[in-house]
Amino acid sequence: MKRMEPSPPPVCPPCPTDITCKAMVAFGVNDLRECEVIVAPPRAGEVRVKIVCNALCHTDIYTLGGSDPEGLFPAILGHEATAIVESVGDGVRSVKVGDTIVPGYTPQCKEPDCIFCMSPKTNLCPRIRGTQGKGVMPDGTSRFTLKSDRSTIFHFMGCSTFSEYTVLAEISCAKINPSIPHEHACLFGCGIATGLGAVWNTAKVEPFSSVAVFGLGAVGLAVVQAAKAIGAHPIIGIDVNEKKFAIAKQLGCTDCVNPKDHDKPMQQVLIGMSPTGFGYDYTFDATGNTDVMRSALEAAHRGWGLMTIIGVAAAGKEISTRPFQFVTGRRCTGTAFGGWKTRDAIPMLVERTLKGEIKVEHFITHKFKGVAETTKALEALHSGDCLRAVVEY
Ligand code: NAD
Ligand code: 022
Ligand code: ZN
């Protein structure tokens, strides 16, 4: 019998080391600059990724503009991206080097002791909420250092995608089918997934129900698209910017209304247009304006209408209405990331897009190349013509 060869000594995988790369660093209010940053290797339960595509979202602008009182500076913003795993920390099993992922600002720990992950009713996993809100990784430290003076830079929403490389918690990484175009996949990291989920998960709109959508940005248009897909009718779109009406009608709006064309409160106008004369089965706020939220609630159907808040209101804002609205059966709910459990749902949405069941390309109205063009993408987002601006790195 042949003698067994002695087994070779185990080969250590190359130890991940610091990466120096370009990032857009927000140093303070509206002070965004391209800088060289050092991205430390991922620690236990973390993943370092190379960002390949980044779509801009209003929260980034809001935070950069200083309107978020909890916004920390200096920070690397951005939370809607496609990325490739570069290295993984100890104990990481769900993704490996080379995988394509979408970062999620709502994590999914999937632990049996997480009552939120175990509940089918919510996606609000609180596992890393405390540290994420403080701009650090779950162990309380940052992976970002400014190359020039070695000062520390904060993370943002657990994502920080305005950088060529970033570090994420493993529980924030949704591994997806790599055959979807990168620029399409990133849209599922925030706005589009949120609009679809608000209809399918949160409100659970039924066929033939009547729908009114306030705000026809990317989120509101995703609501329209999802409502149409489920067979809702009619679908009314409301926006102060009439430039949005053409695409809204293509995606499924049966009518569009501009509040500026009416002296009466929007809810009165809308109730008058509704099929029963008593309001809409489902209404959505995708503006973040608290006066609009009131209109959306009051335009909901007497007896059963449900209003879903998607828009994120400015800090300190409150909503008001008469209790009569609830006593007469109108209801109100809200959604974070469309109720999707990030790691289960994003891969599924990507598969459905690959099958042609969900179309997303119409959301990309602007394209840019390189980290530095993030500034141009921000300008585009301000313009009013933009649904999503995607920056390819
Ligand atoms: P957007 O700015 O592209 O769209 C908002 C639209 O609302 C615009 O077309 C604007 O013209 C319209 N609008 C503004 N004021 C209005 C008014 N008074 N009446 C009617 N229309 C009005 O933004 P977006 O990317 O589509 O996001 C929409 C909202 O959803 C934002 O508040 C954003 O922060 C929020 N959001 C929430 C979640 C979540 O998980 N809950 C996720 C993503 C985005
Ligand atoms: C994303 N958003 C708006 C535009 N793009 C957005 C902002 C906030 C939330 C969701 C989407 C949100 C809803 C509820 C929460 N957040 C609280 C979640 C919790 O308490 O567990 C939220 C999230 C992250 C952060 C702040 C607020 C953060 O990381 N700083 C999900
Ligand atoms: Zn967003």
Side-chain angles (χ1 to χ4, degrees):
M1 220 172 86
K2 223 173 107 185
R3 208 168 62 90
M4 290 271 283
E5 290 287 326
S7 53
V11 184
C12 267
C15 257
T17 50
D18 286 350
I19 289 178
T20 302
C21 69
K22 290 193 174 65
M24 295 307 290
V25 179
F27 287 96
V29 175
N30 291 326
D31 181 8
L32 189 69
R33 280 176 267 154
E34 190 193 47
C35 298
E36 295 236 72
V37 298
I38 300 165
V39 186
R43 296 190 185 171
E46 299 176 1
V47 179
R48 187 164 59 185
V49 300
K50 183 176 198 309
I51 304 287
V52 288
C53 251
N54 202 110
L56 269 71
C57 175
H58 291 85
T59 290
D60 305 314
I61 294 188
Y62 181 72
T63 306
L64 182 63
S67 305
D68 178 1
E70 287 177 7
L72 298 162
F73 296 113
I76 296 176
L77 306 175
H79 63 279
E80 207 174 310
T82 313
I84 313 274
V85 175
E86 177 271 338
S87 60
V88 301
D90 283 346
V92 170
R93 300 276 174 271
S94 62
V95 295
K96 59 179 188 309
V97 174
D99 281 350
T100 304
I101 65 117
V102 172
Y105 52 82
T106 306
Q108 184 189 358
C109 75
K110 302 192 189 190
E111 295 295 335
D113 69 346
C114 177
I115 57 170
F116 296 91
C117 281
M118 291 303 114
S119 167
K121 293 182 181 175
T122 186
N123 61 338
L124 286 174
C125 170
R127 180 81 36 175
I128 58 173
R129 181 181 54 167
T131 47
Q132 183 169 313
K134 292 191 184 83
V136 289
M137 294 303 290
D139 75 346
T141 62
S142 169
R143 301 291 158 270
F144 294 120
T145 318
L146 194 64
K147 192 186 172 200
S148 61
D149 66 358
R150 309 278 150 162
S151 61
T152 303
I153 305 166
F154 287 113
H155 294 250
F156 175 69
M157 287 183 95
C159 294
S160 292
T161 57
F162 292 174
S163 174
E164 288 171 327
Y165 288 86
T166 190
V167 180
L168 308 164
E170 178 185 16
I171 63 170
S172 308
C173 296
K175 176 176 165 169
I176 60 159
N177 186 330
S179 50
I180 185 168
H182 292 145
E183 61 183 45
H184 292 175
C186 63
L187 303 175
F188 290 116
C190 185
I192 309 312
T194 298
L196 301 175
V199 174
W200 296 335
N201 305 328
T202 310
K204 301 189 174 72
V205 172
E206 299 116 349
F208 308 111
S209 43
S210 54
V211 168
V213 185
F214 292 77
L216 300 171
V219 174
L221 290 172
V223 168
V224 170
Q225 190 173 334
K228 160 104 178 174
I230 210 79
H233 188 92
I235 304 170
I236 315 294
I238 302 102
D239 203 299
V240 288
N241 179 357
E242 291 192 15
K243 285 187 207 155
K244 308 288 173 100
F245 291 176
I247 175 108
K249 286 183 177 162
Q250 277 168 34
L251 292 174
C253 274
T254 48
D255 269 299
C256 289
V257 186
N258 185 348
K260 290 181 177 165
D261 292 344
H262 300 271
D263 299 325
K264 284 193 286 183
M266 242 7 246
Q267 53 271 44
Q268 266 182 42
V269 176
L270 290 168
I271 290 171
M273 293 168 62
S274 67
T276 62
F278 286 99
Y280 295 81
D281 299 322
Y282 297 96
T283 64
F284 296 85
D285 168 73
T287 70
N289 178 315
T290 51
D291 297 326
V292 172
M293 292 176 192
R294 178 182 193 147
S295 294
L297 174 73
E298 297 183 2
H301 204 285
R302 175 185 163 90
W304 60 73
L306 179 66
M307 187 274 274
T308 302
I309 298 179
I310 313 171
V312 176
K317 284 283 188 182
E318 296 185 351
I319 44 179
S320 58
T321 190
R322 298 208 180 115
F324 169 82
Q325 299 293 338
F326 298 104
V327 172
T328 47
R330 290 170 195 84
R331 298 168 300 145
C332 177
T333 187
T335 193
F337 191 51
W340 296 113
K341 288 180 186 283
T342 296
R343 290 200 285 165
D344 293 340
I346 296 177
M348 180 271 294
L349 290 168
V350 165
E351 291 304 329
R352 290 186 58 187
T353 305
L354 285 168
K355 279 191 210 146
E357 294 171 14
I358 301 175
K359 297 232 182 317
V360 295
E361 58 267 29
H362 49 271
F363 289 111
I364 304 172
T365 51
H366 297 72
K367 285 193 206 183
F368 300 94
K369 187 112 185 76
V371 174
E373 293 208 342
T374 304
T375 336
K376 287 191 189 167
L378 284 167
E379 278 165 27
L381 206 58
H382 275 300
S383 71
D385 289 329
C386 176
L387 296 176
R388 278 299 185 257
V390 175
V391 186
E392 205 186 309
Y393 289 178

